[in-house]
């Protein structure tokens, strides 16, 4: 509940910036790659980074003088993770989401070269809603919603092309054990949060 309240407050602050009367509005398309891993709360399990991808549409609202605004996206995201333990062989988990990232973005003004290159930094929450099946196997399942907090940076080229990289810290459980795993019953004990790097390119109209 505390996570949801903090996320709601962050969204409210971000939208407050977007409500600036003179804000500039742009929309576009975004696509990229993602490497992610499941971070378990038990040392019994281990997970390696695995590649996935993301793609969708985005909108950007920016206050023209200070360069601060909001970056909102609706993305299809595919994540793949592998986990193993002393009791289980290597297993692959594939998850598909509709992800909604909502970031506060600061486009940093550099005189003379603004029309060619302009760096930016961003941070904010993302809400990923599971579209693939919950059950992974008899003893595991994915959670319906995965909430993360993103931080990152990038550059805007020629006022239209944006290339950025960010890191997402999982705030909620993305994956949990619901029964017997190997020789032990981990119901309600084992859970995991997603950590991921994402590199994207976007074209704004």
């Amino acid at each position: 509940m505390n996570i949801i309240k903090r996320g709601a407050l962050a969204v409210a602050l971000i939208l407050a910036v977007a409500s600036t009367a003179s804000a500039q509005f742009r929309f576009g398309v975004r696509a990229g790659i993602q490497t992610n891993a499941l971070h378990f709360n038990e040392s019994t399990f281990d997970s390696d980074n695995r590649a996935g991808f993301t793609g969708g549409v985005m909108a950007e609202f920016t206050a023209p003088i200070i360069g601060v605004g909001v970056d909102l996206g609706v993305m299809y995201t595919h994540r793949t993770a592998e986990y193993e333990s002393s009791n289980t062989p290597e297993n692959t988990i594939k998850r598909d989401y509709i992800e909604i990232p909502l970031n506060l973005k600061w486009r940093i003004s550099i005189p003379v070269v603004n029309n060619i290159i302009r760096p930016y930094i961003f941070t904010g929450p993302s809400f990923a809603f599971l579209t693939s099946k919950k059950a992974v196997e008899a003893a595991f399942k994915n959670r319906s919603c995965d909430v993360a907090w993103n931080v990152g940076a990038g550059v805007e080229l020629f006022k239209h092309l944006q290339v950025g990289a960010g890191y997402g810290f999982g705030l909620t459980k993305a994956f949990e054990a619901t029964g017997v795993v190997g020789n032990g019953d981990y119901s309600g004990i084992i859970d995991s949060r997603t950590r991921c790097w994402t590199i994207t390119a976007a074209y704004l109209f």
Side-chain angles (χ1 to χ4, degrees):
M1 182 61 69
N2 288 335
I3 290 173
I4 294 175
K5 288 181 179 179
R6 289 196 294 269
L9 178 60
V11 170
L13 290 173
I14 290 172
L15 291 178
V17 173
S19 66
T20 305
S22 60
Q24 298 174 344
F25 169 77
R26 298 190 297 170
F27 69 94
V29 293
R30 177 190 284 156
I33 58 174
Q34 187 177 89
T35 59
N36 71 98
L38 293 171
H39 283 238
F40 291 92
N41 63 336
E42 290 280 340
S43 58
T44 307
F45 288 79
D46 190 26
S47 176
D48 293 326
N49 286 322
R50 288 293 180 269
F53 59 87
T54 185
V57 296
M58 62 168 290
E60 182 182 274
F61 303 83
T62 306
I65 298 177
I66 59 176
V68 176
V70 173
D71 181 328
L72 172 66
V74 179
M75 313 289 290
Y76 167 75
T77 300
H78 176 76
R79 295 172 181 165
T80 300
E82 290 189 353
Y83 70 92
E84 60 182 335
S85 75
S86 57
N87 295 324
T88 61
E90 193 171 89
N91 294 276
T92 300
I93 304 170
K94 296 180 179 180
R95 296 165 291 159
D96 298 309
Y97 294 94
I98 296 298
E99 185 173 8
I100 302 176
L102 182 57
N103 292 308
L104 184 66
K105 178 188 283 185
W106 179 31
R107 296 166 65 229
I108 302 167
S109 179
I110 303 176
V112 182
V113 298
N114 267 346
N115 291 337
I116 300 174
I117 184 170
R118 190 169 184 177
Y120 63 84
I121 57 176
F122 64 87
T123 186
S126 69
F127 306 90
F129 301 95
L130 187 71
T131 59
S132 54
K133 63 181 181 179
K134 275 192 175 184
V136 177
E137 52 185 70
F140 294 101
K141 73 173 183 179
N142 295 309
R143 300 294 297 273
S144 298
C145 182
D146 188 5
V147 181
W149 191 272
N150 301 314
V151 294
V155 292
E156 180 177 285
L157 303 172
F158 305 105
K159 291 189 172 182
H160 291 286
L161 179 63
Q162 293 185 354
V163 179
Y167 189 77
F169 300 88
L171 300 179
T172 58
K173 300 175 184 177
F175 173 81
E176 65 182 356
T178 58
V180 176
V181 183
N183 298 322
D185 186 352
Y186 293 99
S187 302
I189 300 174
I190 294 295
D191 62 66
S192 179
R193 299 168 192 264
T194 300
R195 301 286 191 272
C196 60
W197 283 99
T198 305
I199 300 173
T200 61
Y203 187 86
L204 299 173
F205 300 98

